[in-house]
Short mmCIF file of all heavy atoms in Angstrom, two decimals:
data_model
loop_
_atom_site.label_atom_id
_atom_site.label_comp_id
_atom_site.label_asym_id
_atom_site.label_seq_id
_atom_site.Cartn_x
_atom_site.Cartn_y
_atom_site.Cartn_z
N ARG A 1122 126.01 128.46 79.38
CA ARG A 1122 124.97 127.76 80.12
C ARG A 1122 125.57 126.73 81.08
O ARG A 1122 126.74 126.39 81.00
CB ARG A 1122 124.03 127.04 79.14
CG ARG A 1122 123.41 127.94 78.11
CD ARG A 1122 122.60 127.13 77.13
NE ARG A 1122 123.38 126.04 76.58
CZ ARG A 1122 122.85 124.97 76.00
NH1 ARG A 1122 121.56 124.84 75.90
NH2 ARG A 1122 123.63 124.03 75.52
N ASP A 1130 121.24 120.56 77.36
CA ASP A 1130 120.23 120.90 76.35
C ASP A 1130 118.90 120.23 76.71
O ASP A 1130 118.90 119.09 77.14
CB ASP A 1130 120.65 120.38 74.96
CG ASP A 1130 121.83 121.14 74.36
OD1 ASP A 1130 122.19 122.18 74.92
OD2 ASP A 1130 122.38 120.68 73.35
N PRO A 1131 117.79 120.93 76.58
CA PRO A 1131 117.57 122.26 75.99
C PRO A 1131 117.46 123.37 77.03
O PRO A 1131 116.89 124.42 76.75
CB PRO A 1131 116.21 122.06 75.30
CG PRO A 1131 115.47 121.18 76.27
CD PRO A 1131 116.50 120.24 76.84
N HIS A 1133 118.55 126.42 79.57
CA HIS A 1133 119.41 127.57 79.41
C HIS A 1133 119.55 128.33 80.73
O HIS A 1133 119.24 129.52 80.84
CB HIS A 1133 118.88 128.48 78.30
CG HIS A 1133 118.99 127.87 76.94
ND1 HIS A 1133 118.24 126.78 76.54
CD2 HIS A 1133 119.79 128.17 75.88
CE1 HIS A 1133 118.55 126.45 75.30
NE2 HIS A 1133 119.48 127.28 74.88
N SER A 1163 122.36 129.26 71.58
CA SER A 1163 121.28 128.46 72.16
C SER A 1163 120.99 127.23 71.31
O SER A 1163 121.27 127.21 70.10
CB SER A 1163 120.00 129.31 72.29
OG SER A 1163 119.56 129.76 71.02
N LYS A 1164 120.43 126.21 71.96
CA LYS A 1164 120.03 124.98 71.25
C LYS A 1164 118.71 124.48 71.80
O LYS A 1164 118.57 124.30 73.01
CB LYS A 1164 121.09 123.89 71.41
CG LYS A 1164 122.38 124.14 70.64
CD LYS A 1164 123.19 122.86 70.47
CE LYS A 1164 124.45 123.13 69.67
NZ LYS A 1164 125.15 121.90 69.26
N PHE A 1165 117.78 124.22 70.89
CA PHE A 1165 116.48 123.68 71.27
C PHE A 1165 116.15 122.39 70.52
O PHE A 1165 115.11 121.80 70.74
CB PHE A 1165 115.39 124.72 71.04
CG PHE A 1165 115.55 125.95 71.89
CD1 PHE A 1165 116.19 127.08 71.39
CD2 PHE A 1165 115.09 125.97 73.19
CE1 PHE A 1165 116.36 128.21 72.18
CE2 PHE A 1165 115.25 127.09 73.99
CZ PHE A 1165 115.88 128.21 73.48
N ILE A 1166 117.01 122.01 69.62
CA ILE A 1166 116.79 120.80 68.81
C ILE A 1166 116.99 119.54 69.64
O ILE A 1166 116.25 118.56 69.52
CB ILE A 1166 117.77 120.79 67.62
CG1 ILE A 1166 117.46 121.95 66.67
CG2 ILE A 1166 117.73 119.46 66.89
CD1 ILE A 1166 116.11 121.86 65.99
N TRP A 1167 117.99 119.56 70.52
CA TRP A 1167 118.43 118.36 71.21
C TRP A 1167 118.08 118.35 72.70
O TRP A 1167 117.83 119.38 73.29
CB TRP A 1167 119.96 118.22 71.15
CG TRP A 1167 120.61 118.55 69.87
CD1 TRP A 1167 121.34 119.67 69.58
CD2 TRP A 1167 120.64 117.75 68.69
NE1 TRP A 1167 121.81 119.61 68.30
CE2 TRP A 1167 121.41 118.45 67.72
CE3 TRP A 1167 120.11 116.50 68.36
CZ2 TRP A 1167 121.65 117.94 66.45
CZ3 TRP A 1167 120.34 116.00 67.09
CH2 TRP A 1167 121.10 116.72 66.16
N ALA A 1168 118.19 117.16 73.29
CA ALA A 1168 118.29 117.01 74.74
C ALA A 1168 119.57 116.23 75.02
O ALA A 1168 119.94 115.31 74.28
CB ALA A 1168 117.09 116.28 75.32
N ASP A 1169 120.25 116.59 76.08
CA ASP A 1169 121.48 115.91 76.49
C ASP A 1169 121.09 114.60 77.21
O ASP A 1169 120.51 114.64 78.29
CB ASP A 1169 122.26 116.84 77.42
CG ASP A 1169 123.50 116.19 78.02
OD1 ASP A 1169 123.80 115.03 77.70
OD2 ASP A 1169 124.17 116.87 78.82
N TYR A 1182 109.42 113.02 75.10
CA TYR A 1182 109.26 113.92 73.96
C TYR A 1182 110.29 113.66 72.86
O TYR A 1182 110.37 114.41 71.89
CB TYR A 1182 109.40 115.38 74.41
CG TYR A 1182 108.48 115.78 75.54
CD1 TYR A 1182 108.99 116.37 76.69
CD2 TYR A 1182 107.11 115.56 75.47
CE1 TYR A 1182 108.17 116.75 77.73
CE2 TYR A 1182 106.27 115.92 76.51
CZ TYR A 1182 106.81 116.51 77.64
OH TYR A 1182 105.97 116.87 78.68
N ALA A 1183 111.09 112.60 73.01
CA ALA A 1183 112.15 112.32 72.04
C ALA A 1183 111.57 111.87 70.70
O ALA A 1183 110.53 111.21 70.65
CB ALA A 1183 113.08 111.25 72.59
N VAL A 1184 112.25 112.23 69.62
CA VAL A 1184 111.88 111.74 68.30
C VAL A 1184 112.06 110.22 68.28
O VAL A 1184 113.11 109.70 68.67
CB VAL A 1184 112.75 112.40 67.21
CG1 VAL A 1184 112.54 111.72 65.86
CG2 VAL A 1184 112.44 113.88 67.11
N HIS A 1194 121.68 110.96 68.29
CA HIS A 1194 122.76 111.61 67.56
C HIS A 1194 124.05 111.35 68.35
O HIS A 1194 124.07 111.48 69.57
CB HIS A 1194 122.50 113.11 67.46
CG HIS A 1194 123.47 113.84 66.58
ND1 HIS A 1194 124.74 114.17 67.02
CD2 HIS A 1194 123.38 114.29 65.31
CE1 HIS A 1194 125.39 114.80 66.05
NE2 HIS A 1194 124.58 114.89 65.00
N LEU A 1213 123.30 113.32 71.94
CA LEU A 1213 122.22 114.28 71.83
C LEU A 1213 121.00 113.62 71.21
O LEU A 1213 121.10 112.94 70.20
CB LEU A 1213 122.67 115.48 70.98
CG LEU A 1213 123.90 116.21 71.50
CD1 LEU A 1213 124.35 117.27 70.50
CD2 LEU A 1213 123.63 116.85 72.86
N ILE A 1214 119.85 113.81 71.84
CA ILE A 1214 118.62 113.19 71.40
C ILE A 1214 117.73 114.24 70.72
O ILE A 1214 117.34 115.22 71.36
CB ILE A 1214 117.86 112.55 72.58
CG1 ILE A 1214 118.79 111.68 73.42
CG2 ILE A 1214 116.66 111.77 72.07
CD1 ILE A 1214 119.49 110.58 72.65
N PRO A 1215 117.40 114.08 69.42
CA PRO A 1215 116.51 115.04 68.78
C PRO A 1215 115.13 115.00 69.42
O PRO A 1215 114.57 113.92 69.66
CB PRO A 1215 116.46 114.58 67.32
CG PRO A 1215 116.96 113.18 67.32
CD PRO A 1215 117.87 113.04 68.49
N MET A 1216 114.60 116.17 69.72
CA MET A 1216 113.32 116.27 70.40
C MET A 1216 112.20 116.58 69.42
O MET A 1216 112.42 117.25 68.40
CB MET A 1216 113.39 117.36 71.48
CG MET A 1216 114.50 117.13 72.50
SD MET A 1216 114.38 115.52 73.33
CE MET A 1216 112.91 115.79 74.32
N CYS A 1217 111.01 116.12 69.73
CA CYS A 1217 109.86 116.28 68.84
C CYS A 1217 109.19 117.63 69.08
O CYS A 1217 108.47 117.81 70.06
CB CYS A 1217 108.86 115.14 69.04
SG CYS A 1217 107.46 115.25 67.91
N HIS A 1218 109.43 118.55 68.17
CA HIS A 1218 108.84 119.88 68.29
C HIS A 1218 107.36 119.90 67.92
O HIS A 1218 106.70 120.93 68.06
CB HIS A 1218 109.61 120.86 67.41
CG HIS A 1218 110.95 121.21 67.97
ND1 HIS A 1218 111.82 122.06 67.34
CD2 HIS A 1218 111.58 120.80 69.09
CE1 HIS A 1218 112.93 122.18 68.05
NE2 HIS A 1218 112.81 121.42 69.12
N TYR A 1223 106.46 119.87 74.83
CA TYR A 1223 107.89 120.13 74.71
C TYR A 1223 108.13 121.59 74.30
O TYR A 1223 109.04 122.25 74.83
CB TYR A 1223 108.56 119.20 73.71
CG TYR A 1223 110.02 119.53 73.54
CD1 TYR A 1223 110.92 119.31 74.58
CD2 TYR A 1223 110.49 120.16 72.39
CE1 TYR A 1223 112.26 119.67 74.46
CE2 TYR A 1223 111.82 120.53 72.27
CZ TYR A 1223 112.70 120.28 73.31
OH TYR A 1223 114.02 120.65 73.20
N CYS A 1227 110.50 124.85 75.89
CA CYS A 1227 111.41 125.71 75.12
C CYS A 1227 111.04 127.18 75.26
O CYS A 1227 111.94 128.04 75.32
CB CYS A 1227 111.38 125.31 73.65
SG CYS A 1227 112.05 123.66 73.32
N TYR A 1244 120.29 130.65 67.38
CA TYR A 1244 119.64 129.35 67.56
C TYR A 1244 120.39 128.35 66.67
O TYR A 1244 120.17 128.30 65.47
CB TYR A 1244 118.16 129.49 67.19
CG TYR A 1244 117.30 128.25 67.23
CD1 TYR A 1244 115.94 128.34 66.91
CD2 TYR A 1244 117.79 127.00 67.58
CE1 TYR A 1244 115.11 127.23 66.94
CE2 TYR A 1244 116.98 125.89 67.61
CZ TYR A 1244 115.64 126.00 67.28
OH TYR A 1244 114.82 124.89 67.30
N ASP A 1245 121.25 127.57 67.27
CA ASP A 1245 122.16 126.70 66.52
C ASP A 1245 121.43 125.49 65.95
O ASP A 1245 120.57 124.89 66.59
CB ASP A 1245 123.29 126.24 67.43
CG ASP A 1245 124.42 125.57 66.67
OD1 ASP A 1245 124.80 126.09 65.61
OD2 ASP A 1245 124.91 124.53 67.14
N GLU A 1246 121.80 125.12 64.72
CA GLU A 1246 121.32 123.89 64.06
C GLU A 1246 119.80 123.84 63.91
O GLU A 1246 119.19 122.77 63.92
CB GLU A 1246 121.82 122.65 64.82
CG GLU A 1246 123.32 122.58 64.86
CD GLU A 1246 123.86 121.52 65.81
OE1 GLU A 1246 123.16 121.16 66.77
OE2 GLU A 1246 124.98 121.08 65.58
N ALA A 1247 119.19 124.99 63.71
CA ALA A 1247 117.73 125.06 63.68
C ALA A 1247 117.12 124.28 62.53
O ALA A 1247 115.96 123.87 62.60
CB ALA A 1247 117.28 126.51 63.62
N ILE A 1248 117.88 124.07 61.44
CA ILE A 1248 117.31 123.39 60.29
C ILE A 1248 117.48 121.87 60.35
O ILE A 1248 117.09 121.16 59.42
CB ILE A 1248 117.91 123.91 58.97
CG1 ILE A 1248 119.42 123.62 58.88
CG2 ILE A 1248 117.64 125.39 58.80
CD1 ILE A 1248 120.01 123.89 57.52
N TYR A 1249 118.05 121.36 61.45
CA TYR A 1249 118.29 119.91 61.54
C TYR A 1249 117.00 119.12 61.35
O TYR A 1249 116.98 118.05 60.72
CB TYR A 1249 118.91 119.57 62.89
CG TYR A 1249 119.07 118.09 63.14
CD1 TYR A 1249 120.17 117.40 62.64
CD2 TYR A 1249 118.11 117.38 63.86
CE1 TYR A 1249 120.32 116.04 62.86
CE2 TYR A 1249 118.25 116.01 64.07
CZ TYR A 1249 119.36 115.35 63.57
OH TYR A 1249 119.49 113.99 63.77
N HIS A 1250 115.89 119.63 61.88
CA HIS A 1250 114.64 118.87 61.88
C HIS A 1250 113.95 118.79 60.51
O HIS A 1250 112.94 118.11 60.38
CB HIS A 1250 113.66 119.47 62.89
CG HIS A 1250 113.85 118.94 64.29
ND1 HIS A 1250 114.61 117.85 64.57
CD2 HIS A 1250 113.34 119.36 65.48
CE1 HIS A 1250 114.59 117.62 65.87
NE2 HIS A 1250 113.82 118.52 66.45
N ILE A 1251 114.47 119.47 59.52
CA ILE A 1251 113.85 119.42 58.19
C ILE A 1251 113.74 117.98 57.69
O ILE A 1251 112.77 117.60 57.04
CB ILE A 1251 114.64 120.29 57.20
CG1 ILE A 1251 114.41 121.78 57.49
CG2 ILE A 1251 114.25 119.98 55.75
CD1 ILE A 1251 115.21 122.71 56.63
N GLN A 1253 113.85 115.17 59.71
CA GLN A 1253 113.47 114.24 60.77
C GLN A 1253 111.97 113.94 60.75
O GLN A 1253 111.16 114.83 60.52
CB GLN A 1253 113.84 114.80 62.14
CG GLN A 1253 115.31 114.69 62.48
CD GLN A 1253 115.72 113.25 62.80
OE1 GLN A 1253 114.98 112.50 63.40
NE2 GLN A 1253 116.91 112.88 62.37
N ILE A 1268 109.11 116.75 61.45
CA ILE A 1268 109.22 117.61 62.63
C ILE A 1268 109.26 119.10 62.26
O ILE A 1268 109.01 119.95 63.09
CB ILE A 1268 110.50 117.26 63.44
CG1 ILE A 1268 110.55 115.77 63.73
CG2 ILE A 1268 110.56 118.03 64.74
CD1 ILE A 1268 109.38 115.28 64.53
N ALA A 1269 109.58 119.41 61.00
CA ALA A 1269 109.81 120.80 60.60
C ALA A 1269 108.64 121.71 60.95
O ALA A 1269 108.83 122.85 61.37
CB ALA A 1269 110.10 120.86 59.10
N GLY A 1271 106.62 121.59 63.48
CA GLY A 1271 106.67 121.95 64.89
C GLY A 1271 107.75 122.96 65.19
O GLY A 1271 107.57 123.86 66.03
N ASN A 1272 108.89 122.84 64.50
CA ASN A 1272 109.98 123.80 64.71
C ASN A 1272 109.57 125.18 64.21
O ASN A 1272 109.90 126.20 64.82
CB ASN A 1272 111.25 123.33 64.00
CG ASN A 1272 112.47 124.12 64.41
OD1 ASN A 1272 112.69 124.36 65.59
ND2 ASN A 1272 113.25 124.54 63.44
N ASN A 1273 108.82 125.23 63.10
CA ASN A 1273 108.33 126.52 62.60
C ASN A 1273 107.41 127.18 63.63
O ASN A 1273 107.47 128.39 63.86
CB ASN A 1273 107.57 126.31 61.29
CG ASN A 1273 108.48 125.91 60.15
OD1 ASN A 1273 109.68 126.10 60.24
ND2 ASN A 1273 107.91 125.36 59.10
N LEU A 1275 107.51 126.70 66.84
CA LEU A 1275 108.36 127.10 67.95
C LEU A 1275 108.97 128.48 67.70
O LEU A 1275 108.91 129.37 68.55
CB LEU A 1275 109.47 126.07 68.14
CG LEU A 1275 110.41 126.28 69.33
CD1 LEU A 1275 109.74 125.85 70.62
CD2 LEU A 1275 111.71 125.50 69.13
N VAL A 1276 109.52 128.67 66.51
CA VAL A 1276 110.18 129.93 66.19
C VAL A 1276 109.19 131.08 66.12
O VAL A 1276 109.49 132.21 66.53
CB VAL A 1276 110.98 129.80 64.87
CG1 VAL A 1276 111.57 131.14 64.46
CG2 VAL A 1276 112.10 128.77 65.03
N PHE A 1279 108.68 132.09 69.62
CA PHE A 1279 109.87 132.82 70.08
C PHE A 1279 109.76 134.29 69.65
O PHE A 1279 110.07 135.20 70.43
CB PHE A 1279 111.14 132.21 69.47
CG PHE A 1279 111.60 130.93 70.11
CD1 PHE A 1279 112.63 130.20 69.53
CD2 PHE A 1279 111.03 130.45 71.28
CE1 PHE A 1279 113.09 129.03 70.11
CE2 PHE A 1279 111.47 129.27 71.86
CZ PHE A 1279 112.51 128.56 71.27
N SER A 1294 120.05 132.30 63.13
CA SER A 1294 120.27 130.87 62.99
C SER A 1294 121.45 130.61 62.08
O SER A 1294 121.69 131.40 61.16
CB SER A 1294 119.01 130.19 62.45
OG SER A 1294 119.25 128.85 62.19
#
Side-chain angles (χ1 to χ4, degrees):
R1122 304 175 308 161
D1130 290 350
H1133 291 69
S1163 62
K1164 288 198 179 191
F1165 297 96
I1166 295 295
W1167 319 105
D1169 175 2
Y1182 306 127
V1184 170
H1194 187 282
L1213 302 173
I1214 311 303
M1216 303 303 291
C1217 183
H1218 287 179
Y1223 177 69
C1227 294
Y1244 177 179
D1245 191 44
E1246 299 169 335
I1248 64 170
Y1249 174 83
H1250 274 347
I1251 287 176
Q1253 282 288 323
I1268 308 300
N1272 192 46
N1273 291 342
L1275 184 78
V1276 175
F1279 283 171
S1294 174

